[in-house]
Amino acid sequence: MTGISEIANANIVTVLQTALAPAFLLVGIGAMLNLFAGRLARIIDRSRDLQELFKSTTGKDHALVVAELGDLQVRLRVVNSAIFLSVVSAITACALIGILFIMELTGIDLSLAIASAFVIAISLLSIALIQFLREVRIGVRDFMIREEYLEKPTARNEKRLPVPWDQQPLNMGQR
């Protein structure tokens, strides 16, 4: 009896070692989900702020609020799809770990199922990252600083641009 239990323990240890890759994948997906949830919360907060502004703006400002709300709706959908794809990828990685143990315990060759589950999990994760990239690009596009805040010099009213901090002269002893 001792010989069979030693063989079983050795096989379980091998399976546990093999299951580490999908387990690390799960840790990475969890971190990404945390990031996506944070982005989603910021989108929701911004949309609530803009909905309040919607009531009090007119003209050009109102058009900007409406345009940004439309983009926030797109961003909301894109982040939501990234979250969905990541969760499905995590579920697939969990199934992969389960299939590894089933294969070891039953002796059935499930190599094709294991490889398929891994490819599916990575593919879903890749698509989720593409969706995240889309959301970030939309967010950066929306983060525009209006011209009046930039105070760009004109030919008529040329202003001196500030000197970068690393090029400023040292004023030792002066405060």
Side-chain angles (χ1 to χ4, degrees), residues 41-165:
R42 294 191 69 162
I43 292 167
I44 290 169
D45 290 344
R46 179 69 179 150
S47 68
R48 286 180 180 156
D49 291 344
L50 287 175
Q51 288 174 35
E52 287 299 316
L53 276 175
F54 179 86
K55 301 169 190 171
S56 62
T57 57
T58 58
K60 184 180 175 184
D61 289 334
H62 187 74
L64 288 172
V65 168
V66 170
E68 190 174 346
L69 280 169
D71 283 347
L72 286 172
Q73 182 66 28
V74 172
R75 288 177 64 194
L76 187 73
R77 279 193 230 118
V78 172
V79 167
N80 192 37
S81 71
I83 291 171
F84 174 78
L85 291 165
S86 297
V87 169
V88 175
S89 176
I91 292 169
T92 306
C94 290
L96 170 59
I97 293 170
I99 293 169
L100 282 168
F101 279 98
I102 290 170
M103 183 172 91
E104 184 57 40
L105 294 174
T106 63
I108 300 170
D109 183 20
L110 299 172
S111 301
L112 182 61
I114 290 169
S116 299
F118 186 75
V119 167
I120 290 169
I122 294 298
S123 298
L124 290 167
L125 189 57
S126 298
I127 297 168
L129 286 170
I130 290 168
Q131 290 294 80
F132 175 64
L133 180 63
R134 284 184 60 213
E135 188 274 325
V136 168
R137 300 282 299 179
I138 296 168
V140 168
R141 183 188 71 207
D142 280 349
F143 183 74
M144 58 185 163
I145 301 171
R146 293 170 65 175
E147 291 293 322
E148 59 260 24
Y149 297 127
L150 294 177
E151 296 184 1
K152 291 185 178 180
T154 62
R156 217 160 144 219
N157 178 21
E158 200 159 322
K159 293 184 179 180
R160 208 170 131 194
L161 295 175
V163 178
W165 69 270

